[in-house]
Amino acid sequence: MGSPPMIDGEFARWLAARAGQALLELRDELGFTDQGALKAAGDKVSHDLIRTELARWRPADAVLSEEDEGSRLAWAAEVNTDAVSRLTADRVWIIDPLDGTREFSEEGRSDWAVHVALWARNGSTPHGLVAGAVALPAQHRVLATDHPPAYPPMTVEAATARGGRIIRLAVSRSRPPVFLTDLAGDIGAQLVPMGSAGAKIAAVVTGEVDAYIHAGGQYEWDSAAPVAVATATGLHASRIDGSALKYNEADPRLPDLLVCRKDLASRLLAALQRHTGVA
């Protein structure tokens, strides 16, 4: 197979693509009759592949993965001493081996992803993410920071939004924040249900939708790679109160975020303040 690319952005793309291909092959092998078994196998296959390659090619780096035992409690040292060692590391890979297990297990769905991001202590970005890739295997594409997509084209809806037409907001297909219906009515937006967080942020990156708002609870691995790509593209990314997103924190919970076109950021943040009370 040969060695992978050594530049971090290219390596992230290579690694996400490899895991994505393994997941496609697993889907073909197992089929969709037993969705529970497919979900469990998908999480394990992708996690094991990514962990193996990171250990081989980036042995000095720390890792924060959704599938590591105790990751959600990594802030409690007595629960997982190894996990909190990342807090003193200079480089930490933040990965979600299979973002959107529900969609992965449903035949015909393509809105699931693989997330691979790199946080660096001396990173030049406000969030510390210096490389990232989001593989969308069933869509046969990988979005990554080594060659970030061009700033997304304005959709027809967004181009005429100031004239009363609709802004498209990607939301969770199963757990959209309850305030979003009122917010959408306030600003004249259309809610577009989608699967995984990675798929939703990727849709903002490509211009298929204009923004993604989430306030229902997430962890760092849910957004790190997509945010790395989105900000490399030139999009706005923040908490819903406008504060900066932070990664490799002691508590990996990162419950809310806004990713959108920069020209919509002030309008959406103002609407979020009206409908959530954040300031």
Side-chain angles (χ1 to χ4, degrees):
M1 181 183 66
S3 300
M6 286 295 103
I7 297 173
D8 288 323
E10 295 177 355
F11 178 77
R13 178 190 290 272
W14 173 85
L15 187 54
R18 281 207 64 208
Q21 182 58 40
L23 287 167
L24 289 176
E25 292 171 0
L26 182 68
R27 261 183 152 192
D28 290 340
E29 176 186 348
L30 296 186
F32 300 91
T33 302
D34 187 339
Q35 292 186 333
L38 182 58
K39 289 177 184 179
D43 282 333
K44 178 174 173 50
V45 163
S46 185
H47 172 79
D48 288 353
L49 185 154
I50 292 172
R51 269 298 207 168
T52 297
E53 297 299 349
L54 286 174
R56 181 181 183 188
W57 301 108
R58 296 292 191 273
D61 295 348
V63 180
L64 173 62
S65 169
E66 178 180 17
E67 296 305 316
D68 278 331
E69 183 179 358
S71 282
R72 288 177 177 80
L73 298 175
W75 43 273
E78 68 273 19
V79 173
N80 192 339
T81 302
D82 291 339
V84 297
S85 66
R86 66 182 171 80
L87 300 177
T88 59
D90 290 330
R91 289 164 48 97
V92 180
W93 292 91
I94 304 174
I95 62 173
D96 189 343
L98 177 50
D99 179 53
T101 52
R102 174 181 173 182
E103 288 74 25
F104 171 74
S105 71
E106 295 177 4
E107 188 171 8
R109 294 205 71 95
S110 63
D111 48 349
W112 51 277
V114 176
H115 298 179
V116 177
L118 175 63
W119 174 92
R121 187 168 303 281
N122 298 317
S124 58
T125 60
H127 44 52
L129 302 170
V130 297
V134 178
L136 300 155
Q139 299 178 29
H140 306 291
R141 58 180 174 172
V142 181
L143 306 178
T145 56
D146 62 326
H147 295 293
Y151 193 79
M154 180 72 81
T155 64
V156 173
E157 292 86 351
T160 56
R162 292 171 181 82
R165 292 289 295 278
I166 293 174
I167 299 170
R168 292 166 59 85
L169 302 179
V171 298
S172 170
R173 63 184 284 231
S174 58
R175 300 180 303 276
V178 294
F179 65 83
L180 271 184
T181 299
D182 289 340
L183 183 148
D186 180 10
I187 65 173
Q190 176 187 356
L191 301 182
V192 183
M194 294 185 183
S196 76
K200 288 189 279 284
I201 297 176
V204 184
V205 169
T206 59
E208 297 164 59
V209 297
D210 307 303
Y212 169 45
I213 297 171
H214 181 83
Q218 286 184 346
Y219 291 83
E220 291 184 13
W221 48 76
D222 292 307
S223 64
V227 163
V229 175
T231 52
T233 302
L235 293 165
H236 169 92
S238 71
R239 301 287 299 273
I240 62 172
D241 63 359
S243 61
L245 295 163
K246 296 181 180 180
Y247 294 89
N248 197 37
E249 296 291 291
D251 183 346
R253 289 175 295 189
L254 189 55
D256 60 76
L257 79 160
L258 164 68
V259 179
C260 67
R261 298 180 60 85
K262 283 188 173 178
D263 52 301
L264 294 176
S266 60
R267 182 179 179 187
L268 290 174
L269 287 169
L272 282 163
Q273 183 175 356
R274 291 194 298 273
H275 288 274
T276 66
V278 298

